[in-house]
Amino acid sequence: MSSKKLRACISGVHGYVPDYILTNSELETLVDTSDEWIMTRTGIKERRILKGEMQGTSVLGVKCVKGLLEKTNTDPKDIDLIICATVTPDMLFPSTSNLIADKVGATNSYGFDISAACSGFIYALSTGSQFIEAGTHKKVIVVGADKMSSIIDYTDRKNCVLFGDGGGAVLLEPSKDETGIQDYLLRSDGSGGDMLCLKAGGSLRPASIETIKNKEHYIYQEGSSVFKFAVTNMADISEEIMNKNNLNSDDVAYLVPHQANKRIIDATAKRMGVGPEKVLLNIEKYGNTTAGTIPLCLWDYEKKFKKGDNLILAAFGGGFTWGSLYLKWSYNN
Ligand code: UT7
């Protein structure tokens, strides 16, 4: 029996964004804002919106997973587990992962959702990797997807410019070599919970005429306070995972950051000592898709990656939650 530790690797990635493009110029017609303000403060030019009746986050997840199964030539019946990171589940229950499993024909899979806001994908990826490392699961799909437009007030200029809809999914399998997920650091601080939240709709404040009148079913965020925590913690945790694994900036091929604000990403890259050529961005075209940003970024830049490339994933979000994950990319395109 080999004593070698099993490692999980990403063996495929696929993303999906809806067709409708909500541009900064269209937002200028909805609220008192400008392309100039949005670009200089956030780096966002446009975002995608899932239009139509009865279109929940599972629609995004199903597109991602179907594409992933096709691309990796995987039979849906061979999937053991689907984990979906989201804060905009179709319903509070059943889990969105369960709905996705049903719609893609993953009849031998079970699943659950992870609620960690913008850090959701890193939380879910590290969770998924442990089922592979334990040797109990062979094929695990991790989805990060959010339909943020379902909780946005399009008369609130502070928030409506920031978010968009989209998602991505990765397939995790046992690694055949030293590549794959090497390490991760996860943190949370519940004392920051009320600075970025959805106030109503849970057991604390179930939906009522009052919660609707108060617009409590829309995202609430104290932007500049969250910004300060995000800048510090995302940079700290990215530096910490590098130090812990004896990586210097030359060893890092790419930073794959959560895409909430270009200024937060720049601060993280600066602290890591990596130049802009190593920082993967798609905030300009999708905005903040919450759990969707990192897998969407992996999908957008997949062709750039070479086997053995060291990637650092990093995120900060509601909760507060934050984390970083170090992986060695496992395949060439
Ligand atoms: O992904 C999860 C974690 N979330 C984040 O990481 C978001 C963190 N926060 C941020 O990215 C930034 O704080 C924002 C982009 C949300 C806001 O940028 P800011 O530089 O912190 O601006 P601010 O909130 O301090 O607002 C500055 C001014 C205010 O006007 P007054 O009070 O100074 O007159 C706002 O009312 O900008 C105003 N403002 C806007 N102006 C034009 C706020 N939103 C807009 C807007 N268009 N859309």
Side-chain angles (χ1 to χ4, degrees):
M1 214 173 84
S2 159
S3 59
K4 239 173 90 184
K5 180 179 180 280
L6 271 177
R7 210 186 274 288
C9 73
I10 293 178
S11 54
V13 54
H14 198 73
Y16 176 75
V17 287
D19 293 335
Y20 189 85
I21 299 175
L22 176 57
T23 60
N24 287 352
S25 12
E26 185 177 349
L27 283 167
E28 284 173 1
T29 70
L30 301 175
V31 289
D32 180 14
T33 191
S34 66
D35 176 53
E36 204 262 329
W37 191 96
I38 304 172
M39 276 305 281
T40 51
R41 299 292 179 118
T42 70
I44 303 167
K45 192 93 197 151
E46 53 192 45
R47 59 297 284 145
R48 301 299 182 98
I49 305 294
L50 183 60
K51 297 265 185 183
E53 296 289 306
M54 301 298 283
Q55 305 280 299
T57 293
S58 69
V59 169
L60 304 169
V62 166
K63 293 265 189 194
C64 298
V65 174
K66 276 194 171 159
L68 179 67
L69 292 170
E70 232 166 76
K71 192 171 159 183
T72 55
N73 213 2
T74 305
D75 183 340
K77 295 195 173 50
D78 290 340
I79 300 301
D80 301 314
L81 166 64
I82 298 179
I83 304 175
C84 180
T86 187
V87 284
T88 51
D90 283 28
M91 292 165 271
L92 279 179
F93 71 91
S95 70
T96 300
S97 64
N98 213 43
L99 302 175
I100 296 171
D102 176 51
K103 288 183 191 137
V104 303
T107 47
N108 296 316
S109 169
Y110 69 103
F112 53 87
D113 291 356
I114 282 189
S115 171
C118 298
S119 310
F121 186 74
I122 293 186
Y123 272 48
L125 187 58
S126 51
T127 304
S129 74
Q130 293 176 52
F131 288 88
I132 301 283
E133 285 172 17
T136 51
H137 297 60
K138 294 272 176 296
K139 289 182 194 290
V140 174
I141 288 181
V142 177
V143 185
D146 271 298
K147 185 188 175 186
M148 295 306 289
S149 62
S150 67
I151 54 168
I152 295 293
D153 172 7
Y154 285 94
T155 65
D156 166 15
R157 70 172 182 176
K158 288 192 168 152
N159 285 307
C160 73
V161 301
L162 304 175
F163 296 95
D165 303 339
V170 298
L171 179 61
L172 290 179
E173 294 186 85
S175 175
K176 296 186 178 73
D177 47 40
E178 289 307 299
T179 65
I181 292 164
Q182 310 287 316
D183 197 12
Y184 46 82
L185 296 169
L186 305 174
R187 300 278 149 74
S188 68
D189 176 3
S191 70
D194 53 7
M195 280 187 232
L196 174 50
C197 60
L198 200 61
K199 292 184 176 177
S203 55
L204 184 67
R205 285 181 69 67
S208 66
I209 289 170
E210 195 196 345
T211 63
I212 291 171
K213 271 195 192 146
N214 293 343
K215 300 191 167 191
E216 290 175 36
H217 298 275
Y218 293 127
I219 201 165
Y220 171 83
Q221 173 166 224
E222 291 166 24
S224 49
S225 307
V226 175
F227 183 88
K228 285 174 203 139
F229 282 97
V231 164
T232 311
N233 288 309
M234 208 162 117
D236 281 354
I237 205 141
S238 305
E239 190 183 35
E240 192 180 334
I241 203 158
M242 284 173 70
N243 291 341
K244 191 174 164 217
N245 291 279
N246 297 315
L247 298 171
N248 62 41
S249 52
D250 290 337
D251 300 324
V252 175
Y254 298 105
L255 164 66
V256 190
H258 170 54
Q259 316 270 317
N261 189 314
K262 172 83 165 45
R263 292 181 290 147
I264 299 172
I265 296 172
D266 290 345
T268 302
K270 193 171 171 209
R271 178 79 75 77
M272 293 169 67
V274 300
E277 71 289 352
K278 292 187 174 183
V279 181
L280 304 187
L281 294 172
N282 59 13
I283 187 168
E284 190 166 323
K285 24 182 213 170
Y286 307 141
N288 184 350
T289 56
T290 303
T293 62
I294 290 179
L296 268 174
C297 217
L298 292 173
W299 176 56
D300 269 352
Y301 290 97
E302 184 192 12
K303 299 240 161 1
K304 263 173 112 80
F305 302 150
K306 304 255 175 313
K307 186 171 176 173
D309 276 353
N310 289 323
L311 270 55
I312 301 288
L313 281 46
F316 180 90
F320 292 135
T321 55
W322 64 104
S324 58
L325 184 144
Y326 162 38
L327 69 87
K328 275 189 190 295
W329 194 249
S330 292
Y331 56 94
N332 292 312
N333 285 286

